[in-house]
Structure formats: C-alpha cells, structure tokens
Amino acid sequence: MDFFIFFTIFSYVFLVTKACEPNNPSYINCGRDFPRIRYPFRIQGKQPHHSSHPDFELFFRQNKTYIHFPTYGDLIVKSISYNTRKLNLIDPKNCVPEVYLNLNLSLTPFSYCYILKEYTYINCSSHLSTSFVKVPCLSGSNHHVYIVETLISPPVSCNSVKTVSIPFSYSPYLFDNSFGLSLTWNLTGECDDAGIGCQSETLHNKGFFQVANDKVTDLIAFIFSVVTLFYAKMALYKVVDLENEKEKLGEIKVGKVLGEYEALNHSKCNIKVVIQ
Ligand SMILES: *[C@@H]1O[C@H](CO)[C@@H](O)[C@H](O)[C@H]1NC(C)=O
Ligand SMILES: *[C@@H]1O[C@H](CO)[C@@H](O)[C@H](O)[C@H]1NC(C)=O
Ligand SMILES: *[C@@H]1O[C@H](CO)[C@@H](O)[C@H](O)[C@H]1NC(C)=O
Ligand SMILES: *[C@@H]1O[C@H](CO)[C@@H](O)[C@H](O)[C@H]1NC(C)=O
Ligand SMILES: *[C@@H]1O[C@H](CO)[C@@H](O)[C@H](O)[C@H]1NC(C)=O
C-alpha cells in the first residue's frame, strides 16, 4: 500500500514534469507565468486542428494568453486546471459586471463555476437610494447602472437593460478583475466527460504509466478534497476571526470575507471532483 502511494506520487510528478518538456507536443508553453496549454485547449495555429474544438482556441498577445468569446470579446486566461476542468479568467477591461451582462455561454461548452441567479441590469437617469449599489464601471456622469434582483420593479427613472442569469450581483468589496470569472467546460466526444480521464490519456499512453492511472485519479481526488476542505475551513476561521474583530476592522472587510466564503460555498467546479 505504502509502495503504491509512493509509486503514485512519483509517477504523477514524473508525468507532469515529462509533459512540460518543450518537445512534447501535447503541452505548449510551460513558462512560469503562463497557463499550461493542452487538449482541449490549443494555441491558434500552433497545434493541429484535429486536437481541439474551435471554442478552446487561445492566442497570445503582449505576453498574455487570451480566449475569445464572440458575445463578449477577449478575456485573459489566468490559469487552467485540467483535473477540475476549471478556467480562471481576467477581464482586461476590469469590469466583470460588463462581462456578465454580455457574455452568453449558452452556445459554448463553458459554464460558470457557480450557481446562477437571475438579475436585471437597470440604467437610470438619476441616482437611486443608497440601498442600491451602483456599478461604477458601467455608469457615466448622466447614467447610473445597477444590478437588481429580477423581482424588484425598476424605479421610474430607470430603463431595464437586460435580465441575465449570473453568479453574483455587484458588490464594491468583492469585485476585482477576476472575481467570479471561473468557468468549467463540458466535452462530449472522443474523450470521456471527466477531465481526469482525458488527462491521463493525454499525458501519456505508455503501458508503464497505465497501471498508475487509477491511483493517480484517486490521489488527485483526495488532494482536492483536502485542499477544498482546508480552504473552506480557512475561510470559516477568517469569518469567525473577523466577526471578533468586527469593531476594529469595520463592516467592510467582514462583508468581503463573508462574500468570498459564500462564493466558495457556491462553487460547482470543486464539488465535482470530490464526487468523482
Ligand atoms: C514581454 O516580456 C518580455 C520579457 O519579459 C519583455 O521584454 C517585453 O517587454 C514584454 N512585452 C510586453 C508587450 O509586455
Ligand atoms: C445607459 O444609458 C446611457 C444613456 O442613456 C447609455 O449611453 C449607456 O450605454 C447605457 N448603459 C447600458 C449598460 O445600457
Ligand atoms: C444567449 O444565447 C441564446 C442562443 O443564441 C439565446 O437564446 C439567449 O436568449 C441568450 N441569452 C441572453 C441572456 O441573451
Ligand atoms: C455536460 O454534458 C452532459 C452529457 O452531454 C450533460 O448531461 C450535462 O448536463 C452537461 N453539463 C453542463 C454543465 O453543461
Ligand atoms: C452554503 O450553502 C448552503 C446550501 O446551499 C446554504 O444553506 C448556506 O446558507 C450557505 N452558506 C453561506 C455562508 O452562504
């Protein structure tokens, strides 16, 4: 048993190292600041067409890796986790609420990593009361954009822009250029739906490694369970700590951490792995 665990860890490390060698065609660009790219993703024009779906095409521009969505535009790829099938993105325009407003994932293999809820974007000619939180990056000097729950009927000075199913409403304490921009993907076809199955297949087909595949899968699932639990616990401690220090730190920070905890709670991508 111990031997198996050792063997598994050793093989896994070996597999990953091996796959990052520059002459290995299944990975490209293993630089430290770039996401590792392999099936189902590929770089435009650099990897054979048959190995990927057009929706998974990435490109480089100014030392960054991008993905293009026809309904929104280009987003920066921050990281890709193949075993959890998670794609973390950054909005180069630093306005995630605008991404939510326009990005339509329904004809793509991607979906948000979070539970979605319907919200309505409203565009108002005057300021609303302080119970509404304005989205600064969508507002101008003469118009004020808010994201409200669908059931709230918009005030008379407002036009309803669009109702969309999105992970989060706007909060000035939560949003940076990447908060809430985690997507997962679903592949049907030659590879099975579990990313892990694809991973072992793409990494290496040598008989020697086949033996370790099941163990690797178990190990990855185990590591992820532990990491997920660890972070959940950390987030909980942070909330408790901050609750204690609430008077010192003020409401703002507590709101942020609670929000983060809630986001974690709502994440679908990690849960999937634990289930496997
Ligand atoms: C890309 O990175 C190289 C090396 O780090 C740097 O010299 C170059 O200025 C960068 N280019 C851009 C457009 O940021
Ligand atoms: C809101 O309205 C203003 C002016 O009426 C317009 O310029 C702006 O594009 C609108 N914003 C959105 C998000 O619809
Ligand atoms: C997203 O695209 C689908 C298919 O084109 C369309 O039916 C749907 O209404 C769109 N959703 C939004 C919120 O625009
Ligand atoms: C992924 O694909 C399977 C089978 O095609 C489907 O049942 C499932 O709902 C899809 N999941 C998502 C998130 O699209
Ligand atoms: C976490 O999710 C559960 C079930 O979806 C919910 O009952 C609970 O209130 C959530 N906790 C937080 C802090 O959002």
Side-chain angles (χ1 to χ4, degrees):
M1 192 61 203
D2 282 352
F3 170 72
F4 249 113
I5 292 169
F6 170 76
F7 178 71
T8 307
I9 293 170
F10 173 78
S11 314
Y12 185 62
V13 169
F14 187 72
L15 282 173
V16 171
T17 319
K18 180 102 180 128
C20 275
E21 281 172 11
N23 59 358
N24 184 315
S26 50
Y27 264 115
I28 80 160
N29 209 319
C30 293
R32 250 200 300 167
D33 299 330
F34 291 90
R36 292 177 307 147
I37 294 157
R38 64 164 175 78
Y39 184 89
F41 294 91
R42 70 185 176 90
I43 289 290
Q44 247 169 29
K46 287 211 178 155
Q47 280 156 313
H49 277 259
H50 67 260
S51 72
S52 185
H53 197 278
D55 288 315
F56 291 98
E57 227 172 59
L58 309 179
F59 61 96
F60 294 128
R61 190 203 298 148
Q62 294 178 330
N63 292 344
K64 293 193 170 68
T65 309
Y66 286 84
I67 184 165
H68 178 79
F69 289 97
T71 52
Y72 179 73
D74 303 335
L75 291 168
I76 298 169
V77 178
K78 185 182 178 187
S79 60
I80 305 173
S81 167
Y82 294 92
N83 47 14
T84 55
R85 275 184 295 157
K86 192 169 178 183
L87 174 67
N88 293 308
L89 301 171
I90 294 174
D91 179 26
K93 289 191 257 168
N94 205 356
C95 188
V96 175
E98 190 181 9
V99 179
Y100 284 169
L101 174 62
N102 296 308
L103 184 62
N104 187 337
L105 296 174
S106 66
L107 296 178
T108 75
F110 299 100
S111 56
Y112 287 109
C113 275
Y114 312 94
I115 312 277
L116 303 184
K117 197 174 162 190
E118 275 202 347
Y119 290 98
T120 301
Y121 281 64
I122 56 172
N123 197 348
C124 310
S125 54
S126 60
H127 276 288
L128 300 185
S129 78
T130 51
S131 57
F132 293 88
V133 183
K134 185 164 90 171
V135 184
C137 63
L138 284 172
S139 303
S141 50
N142 295 315
H143 66 279
H144 312 277
V145 174
Y146 301 84
I147 303 175
V148 297
E149 305 229 343
T150 306
L151 294 177
I152 295 175
S153 57
V156 281
S157 68
C158 306
N159 291 320
S160 164
V161 179
K162 201 175 181 185
T163 296
V164 283
S165 289
I166 56 175
F168 302 102
S169 171
Y170 178 74
S171 154
Y173 310 121
L174 279 179
F175 277 91
D176 57 22
N177 58 8
S178 68
F179 181 82
L181 285 186
S182 296
L183 307 182
T184 184
W185 64 87
N186 205 2
L187 269 184
T188 48
E190 61 270 46
C191 266
D192 71 52
D193 261 343
I196 289 171
C198 288
Q199 178 178 359
S200 5
E201 200 182 305
T202 321
L203 275 177
H204 254 280
N205 291 319
K206 285 183 185 163
F208 173 73
F209 294 111
Q210 285 306 325
V211 189
N213 275 352
D214 288 350
K215 291 284 161 192
V216 170
T217 309
D218 288 349
L219 181 76
I220 293 168
F222 174 71
I223 290 172
F224 261 85
S225 315
V226 171
V227 169
T228 308
L229 275 174
F230 176 76
Y231 277 109
K233 230 172 166 179
M234 289 294 283
L236 201 57
Y237 283 147
K238 266 201 214 161
V239 170
V240 173
D241 273 359
L242 282 172
E243 284 290 353
N244 293 339
E245 289 185 71
K246 208 170 185 173
E247 277 174 19
K248 255 189 283 168
L249 295 172
E251 299 282 340
I252 293 171
K253 227 171 169 186
V254 178
K256 180 168 160 69
V257 177
L258 271 174
E260 277 167 3
Y261 177 57
E262 203 172 297
L264 189 77
N265 197 18
H266 284 181
S267 175
K268 288 191 290 183
C269 296
N270 289 344
I271 292 164
K272 258 183 201 147
V273 170
V274 178
I275 291 166
Q276 278 167 1

